Amino acid sequence: QKEVEQNSGPLSVPEGAIASLNCTYSDRGSQSFFWYRQYSGKSPELIMFIYSNGDKEDGRFTAQLNKASQYVSLLIRDSQPSDSATYLCAVLPDMRFGAGTRLTVKP
Amino acid sequence: EAGVAQSPRYKIIEKRQSVAFWCNPISGHATLYWYQQILGQGPKLLIQFQNNGVVDDSQLPKDRFSAERLKGVDSTLKIQPAKLEDSAVYLCASSTMDDPRNEQFFGPGTRLTVL
């Protein structure tokens, strides 16, 4: 059974801090990895995509991938209250989502 | 650019009834997905279409769920008969084959309640 695991949280960080979100996957054949943000009552939206080992930075977001450890993470620097949402990890080739980690950024 | 359209937005039915959901993807997007998202869980892929062909329906409960994408544009997802455990948000998403990121654009979803 292919699994994508995330800590459901909630994860609470103060405004301006770094939020660290983690995801592990079981299928070694996984090729590409996505982080989606989902606000309460809304649909998911893509915020990061990574397919090579190492770090990928986009503004305040950094995705980190370690295929040997089957681990992908998302760092959010200078967290803002508007970052409060559920963050979903998704894995190709079969677009399997984790259950999501709920992040709360407190002013 | 218009986004992914879905209807209805909300539906309440009794168990054993039938229900259908409609999705219109972003113009030009060849790939269309249907997901089921149960409260507190991540989206679960039910079926993926490429144009009007099925790419993956391995997680579609085929005894009660069916989907079609005639002419490679709009799609409908049907549940017949519905069970209590089908209560969820049904999300439609689309993507273009030209995007190396395979970014999926999601519609607003249809919230189904089965009583």
Side-chain angles (χ1 to χ4, degrees), chain A residues 8-49:
Chain A
S8 63
L11 173 65
S12 181
V13 301
E15 184 174 357
I18 295 175
S20 178
L21 305 160
N22 304 316
C23 173
T24 59
Y25 58 95
S26 63
D27 183 9
R28 286 196 171 274
S30 299
Q31 302 160 352
S32 302
F33 307 85
F34 305 84
W35 284 100
Y36 279 80
R37 177 175 62 199
Q38 187 172 28
Y39 291 113
S40 181
K42 302 296 185 182
S43 297
E45 55 179 338
L46 182 67
I47 54 171
M48 288 293 287
F49 156 73

Side-chain angles (χ1 to χ4, degrees), chain A residues 30-86:
Chain A
S30 299
Q31 302 160 352
S32 302
F33 307 85
F34 305 84
W35 284 100
Y36 279 80
R37 177 175 62 199
Q38 187 172 28
Y39 291 113
S40 181
K42 302 296 185 182
S43 297
E45 55 179 338
L46 182 67
I47 54 171
M48 288 293 287
F49 156 73
I50 188 168
Y51 61 89
S52 298
N53 275 328
D55 295 359
K56 180 179 179 182
E57 187 174 319
D58 184 0
R60 296 185 296 112
F61 299 98
T62 299
Q64 300 174 317
L65 175 61
N66 184 326
K67 290 187 177 180
S69 300
Q70 297 177 239
Y71 174 95
V72 57
S73 65
L74 179 70
L75 300 178
I76 306 175
R77 291 182 300 280
D78 189 24
S79 296
Q80 301 297 310
S82 59
D83 295 326
S84 297
T86 295

Side-chain angles (χ1 to χ4, degrees), chain B residues 24-70:
Chain B
N24 181 243
I26 292 173
S27 178
H29 281 195
T31 310
L32 184 147
Y33 312 79
W34 281 104
Y35 291 90
Q36 179 193 59
Q37 187 172 22
I38 293 172
L39 187 65
Q41 298 181 20
K44 171 187 167 184
L45 180 66
L46 295 175
I47 190 166
Q48 176 184 345
F49 292 96
Q50 189 97 299
N51 296 306
N52 60 351
V54 175
V55 174
D56 182 358
D57 64 356
S58 57
Q59 298 191 88
L60 186 73
K62 298 180 184 64
D63 58 334
R64 298 185 300 106
F65 286 65
S66 64
E68 60 181 10
R69 190 184 185 196
L70 300 176

